[in-house]
Amino acid sequence: MIFIVVKFKVKDEHAENFPELVREFTEATRAEPGNLWFDWSRSVEDPNEYVLVEAFKDDAAEAHVKSDHFKKAMQEQPQYLQETPRIISRQIDGEGWDQMGEMTVA
């Protein structure tokens, strides 16, 4: 699978409503064939930082970046951001989350 983590530094005036600003993009991406997950989180240390954790089946990532909703998001989202997002994108073995081996919850 293709595993991607992206950090977005959002401008102060958009920090509270950023999830709503990206809702259309989020919903369209989650509906794509081959999307495994597309989950936003907010930093507990920096209220202006959002982290996107996403994954696609190996053959689905290319279709994602060529989709109309991706192209639209790449044009619209910069106005809400302080800087260019930072990304880690890797192809890894697996099809989902594994349980953590160092901890067991009964």
Side-chain angles (χ1 to χ4, degrees):
M1 74 179 156
I2 307 297
F3 183 75
I4 304 163
V5 179
V6 188
K7 289 188 173 190
F8 293 79
K9 291 287 253 185
V10 179
K11 291 178 181 175
D12 290 339
E13 62 269 26
H14 301 296
E16 290 304 315
N17 66 329
F18 188 68
E20 185 58 36
L21 294 170
V22 298
R23 181 176 307 284
E24 181 181 325
F25 175 57
T26 300
E27 290 174 356
T29 302
R30 287 177 176 166
E32 289 178 26
N35 175 256
L36 298 172
W37 61 82
F38 195 84
D39 297 327
W40 292 95
S41 298
R42 193 172 188 181
S43 170
V44 296
E45 296 175 358
D46 180 353
N48 288 17
E49 183 175 80
Y50 283 82
V51 178
L52 175 60
V53 179
E54 55 186 303
F56 296 88
K57 293 181 180 178
D58 289 344
D59 57 351
E62 184 176 351
H64 170 62
V65 298
K66 290 183 175 182
S67 69
D68 289 340
H69 57 271
F70 182 87
K71 292 174 186 175
K72 181 180 176 186
M74 296 307 101
Q75 291 178 345
E76 290 180 353
Q77 289 180 11
Q79 67 183 313
Y80 309 126
L81 305 177
Q82 297 178 26
E83 61 186 34
T84 301
R86 292 169 287 142
I87 187 170
I88 296 172
S89 178
R90 301 289 184 269
Q91 187 166 2
I92 61 174
D93 291 333
E95 295 181 7
W97 293 95
D98 295 325
Q99 287 188 335
M100 185 176 175
E102 297 81 6
M103 179 190 307
T104 300
V105 177

